[in-house]
Amino acid sequence: MDVTTVVIGAGHAGLAASHFLRERSIDHVVLERGEVANSWRRERWDSLRLLTPSWQSRLPGMPYEGPDPDGYMTMGEVVDLIERYAAVTAAPVRTGTEVTSVRRTDDGYLVTTSTGPLRCRAVVIASGACNRPVVPAFHEAVPSSVEQFTPFDYRDPAKLPDGGVLVVGASATGVQLAAELQRSGRPVTLSVGEHTRLPRTYRGRDILWWMDASGVWDQRYDEIDDLTRARRLPSPQLAGTPDRSSVDLNALTALGVSLVGRWAAVRDGRALFSGGLRNVFALADLKLQRLLDTFDAFAGGTGERFAPTTVPASSRLQLDLRSGEIRSIVWATGFRPEYDWLDVPVMDAKGRLAHDGGVLASPGLYALGLPVLRRRKSTFIHGIEDDARDVVDHLAGHLAGHPAGHSAGG
């Protein structure tokens, strides 16, 4: 046995796992295909800031101690944070080591990498939930005169051709890029599907303070009625701007962004959009109202209520992509993990890891950093501590030979 446990990924999730493995004196190695915090370095656009206020940028054993707790970290600051954490915890990271295969053996796993094989008894998959952008198949029918980008390709407005931009998707990424592109002087059309509307502040505090203080973020995965849906909810319409402004659809409309429905198909060079924006907006507004009611029940009293999302007087159901009106498309249609290297039958029909709170059906195989893994806060930096502790507790029980029914703590 080369090492007891292999952790795949040296982002905040993998490093948090390493922290708790070290606490339990479990020998391990953290494998990283690039550098520490690789995705933050290589796969983000220039102006992006964290959605969460800096005081929530805490990791196990390392609270936030910076000068601007209510600000929002830039990507460079996030990289510095994760690098510093790797150094403080003396995590045994091997950079430049790409995992090409994980296979089950009689007594554990064989992990094949670009620098050689490793045998181990347990594996923690912490390679991230956003490894590959999701783009609908009909993107291939878009005329070649229109340039197409994903958030991995996009860096700043100057990299796009002059002229109109169609941004597809109205979650956090889509609304942020739509606002940035509109401010750059490009006319922007935003294709809107299901979305999660949130104000940046409520009753004088950051909305994510309310999520934390009210206990909403601590809700466990086994307490959620429709866990599958919860794990697929769109990211909230938030941006980490210094002025703490909201970037909901009303704010984008005020900037001049045109709203259309969900992009359904391409036919004869035309983008076809679904109708029903009124219903989509009403559902998002209703969910926001219920969340604010939850906060008010926690704090007492009643805070402000926000104007309903304004439905455009007329919304186009199609756009001729050959007319020159749209010169580029930005697909902000989500991301998915990538497990091409995982040769263990633990995937569901849609290519996602099938797990119970991060515990996979193959003994000794675990996951961290996925949406609502064990709590609603699982994918956020400050949310990893409880998840990593629970998962490593279960892993330690497995190594100690506890029965298969041993459950993760917390």
Side-chain angles (χ1 to χ4, degrees), residues 9-10 15 18 28-32 34-36 86 90-97:
L15 295 174
S18 174
H28 64 284
V29 64
V30 182
L31 305 181
E32 172 53 57
E35 305 167 80
V36 169
V93 179
R94 296 185 190 176
T95 57
T97 303

Side-chain angles (χ1 to χ4, degrees), residues 221 224-234 371-372 376:
Y221 75 109
I224 296 172
D225 291 336
D226 190 343
L227 180 59
T228 299
R229 175 169 172 74
R231 285 176 169 164
R232 296 178 188 172
L233 278 178
V372 199
R376 287 196 181 272

